[in-house]
mmCIF file of all heavy atoms in Angstrom:
data_model
loop_
_atom_site.group_PDB
_atom_site.id
_atom_site.type_symbol
_atom_site.label_atom_id
_atom_site.label_comp_id
_atom_site.label_asym_id
_atom_site.label_seq_id
_atom_site.Cartn_x
_atom_site.Cartn_y
_atom_site.Cartn_z
ATOM 1 N N THR B 221 64.927 137.740 52.691
ATOM 2 C CA THR B 221 64.914 136.977 53.954
ATOM 3 C C THR B 221 64.790 135.538 53.739
ATOM 4 O O THR B 221 64.068 135.059 52.912
ATOM 5 C CB THR B 221 63.733 137.542 54.820
ATOM 6 O OG1 THR B 221 62.450 137.209 54.181
ATOM 7 C CG2 THR B 221 63.673 139.065 55.111
ATOM 8 N N HIS B 222 65.496 134.847 54.622
ATOM 9 C CA HIS B 222 65.385 133.360 54.659
ATOM 10 C C HIS B 222 65.325 133.076 56.138
ATOM 11 O O HIS B 222 66.285 133.253 56.813
ATOM 12 C CB HIS B 222 66.562 132.664 53.963
ATOM 13 C CG HIS B 222 66.728 132.927 52.599
ATOM 14 N ND1 HIS B 222 67.593 133.943 52.057
ATOM 15 C CD2 HIS B 222 65.945 132.584 51.422
ATOM 16 C CE1 HIS B 222 67.431 133.945 50.734
ATOM 17 N NE2 HIS B 222 66.470 133.178 50.393
ATOM 18 N N ALA B 223 64.186 132.572 56.628
ATOM 19 C CA ALA B 223 64.069 132.295 58.065
ATOM 20 C C ALA B 223 64.496 133.586 58.809
ATOM 21 O O ALA B 223 63.969 134.580 58.488
ATOM 22 C CB ALA B 223 64.993 131.170 58.483
ATOM 23 N N ALA B 224 65.376 133.601 59.750
ATOM 24 C CA ALA B 224 65.654 134.746 60.548
ATOM 25 C C ALA B 224 66.765 135.496 59.907
ATOM 26 O O ALA B 224 67.293 136.455 60.459
ATOM 27 C CB ALA B 224 65.981 134.263 61.970
ATOM 28 N N THR B 225 67.231 135.193 58.771
ATOM 29 C CA THR B 225 68.376 135.811 58.142
ATOM 30 C C THR B 225 67.776 136.978 57.140
ATOM 31 O O THR B 225 66.962 136.664 56.428
ATOM 32 C CB THR B 225 69.181 134.906 57.290
ATOM 33 O OG1 THR B 225 69.835 133.905 58.353
ATOM 34 C CG2 THR B 225 70.331 135.645 56.675
ATOM 35 N N VAL B 226 68.519 138.131 57.268
ATOM 36 C CA VAL B 226 68.077 139.226 56.329
ATOM 37 C C VAL B 226 69.157 139.601 55.607
ATOM 38 O O VAL B 226 70.315 139.571 56.014
ATOM 39 C CB VAL B 226 67.611 140.436 57.175
ATOM 40 C CG1 VAL B 226 67.136 141.568 56.187
ATOM 41 C CG2 VAL B 226 66.600 140.064 58.270
ATOM 42 N N ARG B 227 69.034 139.887 54.315
ATOM 43 C CA ARG B 227 70.152 140.526 53.522
ATOM 44 C C ARG B 227 69.653 141.807 52.850
ATOM 45 O O ARG B 227 68.598 141.883 52.300
ATOM 46 C CB ARG B 227 70.480 139.468 52.265
ATOM 47 C CG ARG B 227 71.826 139.906 51.583
ATOM 48 C CD ARG B 227 72.301 138.814 50.744
ATOM 49 N NE ARG B 227 71.688 138.870 49.450
ATOM 50 C CZ ARG B 227 72.106 139.576 48.440
ATOM 51 N NH1 ARG B 227 73.143 140.427 48.580
ATOM 52 N NH2 ARG B 227 71.538 139.442 47.275
ATOM 53 N N LEU B 228 70.532 142.804 53.201
ATOM 54 C CA LEU B 228 70.275 144.015 52.639
ATOM 55 C C LEU B 228 70.939 144.185 51.162
ATOM 56 O O LEU B 228 72.182 144.012 51.087
ATOM 57 C CB LEU B 228 70.820 145.162 53.527
ATOM 58 C CG LEU B 228 70.487 145.182 54.923
ATOM 59 C CD1 LEU B 228 70.986 146.294 55.667
ATOM 60 C CD2 LEU B 228 69.043 145.113 55.129
ATOM 61 N N ILE B 229 70.079 144.275 50.136
ATOM 62 C CA ILE B 229 70.626 144.050 48.837
ATOM 63 C C ILE B 229 71.469 145.261 48.303
ATOM 64 O O ILE B 229 72.409 145.114 47.732
ATOM 65 C CB ILE B 229 69.486 143.752 47.826
ATOM 66 C CG1 ILE B 229 68.759 142.401 48.319
ATOM 67 C CG2 ILE B 229 69.862 143.773 46.453
ATOM 68 C CD1 ILE B 229 67.593 141.993 47.451
ATOM 69 N N ASP B 230 71.102 146.446 48.722
ATOM 70 C CA ASP B 230 71.768 147.577 48.365
ATOM 71 C C ASP B 230 71.782 148.669 49.510
ATOM 72 O O ASP B 230 70.990 149.523 49.636
ATOM 73 C CB ASP B 230 71.076 148.299 47.145
ATOM 74 C CG ASP B 230 71.800 149.404 46.505
ATOM 75 O OD1 ASP B 230 72.840 149.922 47.239
ATOM 76 O OD2 ASP B 230 71.635 149.830 45.369
ATOM 77 N N PRO B 231 72.720 148.413 50.384
ATOM 78 C CA PRO B 231 72.761 149.128 51.630
ATOM 79 C C PRO B 231 72.757 150.744 51.336
ATOM 80 O O PRO B 231 72.233 151.623 52.084
ATOM 81 C CB PRO B 231 73.959 148.819 52.398
ATOM 82 C CG PRO B 231 74.092 147.340 51.882
ATOM 83 C CD PRO B 231 73.630 147.388 50.559
ATOM 84 N N ALA B 232 73.562 151.109 50.375
ATOM 85 C CA ALA B 232 73.761 152.498 50.001
ATOM 86 C C ALA B 232 72.407 153.097 49.662
ATOM 87 O O ALA B 232 72.049 154.279 50.060
ATOM 88 C CB ALA B 232 74.731 152.742 48.948
ATOM 89 N N LEU B 233 71.662 152.451 48.770
ATOM 90 C CA LEU B 233 70.293 152.829 48.326
ATOM 91 C C LEU B 233 69.400 152.988 49.587
ATOM 92 O O LEU B 233 68.676 153.945 49.744
ATOM 93 C CB LEU B 233 69.762 151.924 47.302
ATOM 94 C CG LEU B 233 68.383 152.144 46.897
ATOM 95 C CD1 LEU B 233 68.168 153.683 46.290
ATOM 96 C CD2 LEU B 233 67.870 151.204 45.844
ATOM 97 N N LEU B 234 69.381 152.056 50.329
ATOM 98 C CA LEU B 234 68.596 152.032 51.574
ATOM 99 C C LEU B 234 68.932 153.227 52.476
ATOM 100 O O LEU B 234 68.067 153.787 53.090
ATOM 101 C CB LEU B 234 68.766 150.631 52.435
ATOM 102 C CG LEU B 234 68.242 149.424 51.755
ATOM 103 C CD1 LEU B 234 68.610 148.203 52.418
ATOM 104 C CD2 LEU B 234 66.650 149.543 51.658
ATOM 105 N N ALA B 235 70.206 153.474 52.673
ATOM 106 C CA ALA B 235 70.599 154.546 53.484
ATOM 107 C C ALA B 235 70.098 155.859 53.000
ATOM 108 O O ALA B 235 69.722 156.684 53.783
ATOM 109 C CB ALA B 235 72.147 154.555 53.635
ATOM 110 N N GLU B 236 70.094 156.010 51.650
ATOM 111 C CA GLU B 236 69.522 157.264 51.120
ATOM 112 C C GLU B 236 68.049 157.419 51.235
ATOM 113 O O GLU B 236 67.446 158.365 51.682
ATOM 114 C CB GLU B 236 69.861 157.213 49.649
ATOM 115 C CG GLU B 236 69.520 158.642 49.050
ATOM 116 C CD GLU B 236 70.160 158.853 47.691
ATOM 117 O OE1 GLU B 236 71.050 157.934 47.277
ATOM 118 O OE2 GLU B 236 69.856 159.791 46.953
ATOM 119 N N ILE B 237 67.250 156.352 51.111
ATOM 120 C CA ILE B 237 65.905 156.262 51.290
ATOM 121 C C ILE B 237 65.471 156.712 52.800
ATOM 122 O O ILE B 237 64.543 157.464 52.911
ATOM 123 C CB ILE B 237 65.250 154.919 51.092
ATOM 124 C CG1 ILE B 237 65.418 154.423 49.623
ATOM 125 C CG2 ILE B 237 63.702 154.875 51.427
ATOM 126 C CD1 ILE B 237 64.962 153.070 49.266
#
Side-chain angles (χ1 to χ4, degrees):
Chain B
T221 60
H222 299 102
T225 300
V226 187
R227 192 164 84 84
L228 308 188
I229 296 179
D230 187 346
L233 174 58
L234 290 170
E236 187 164 353
I237 294 173

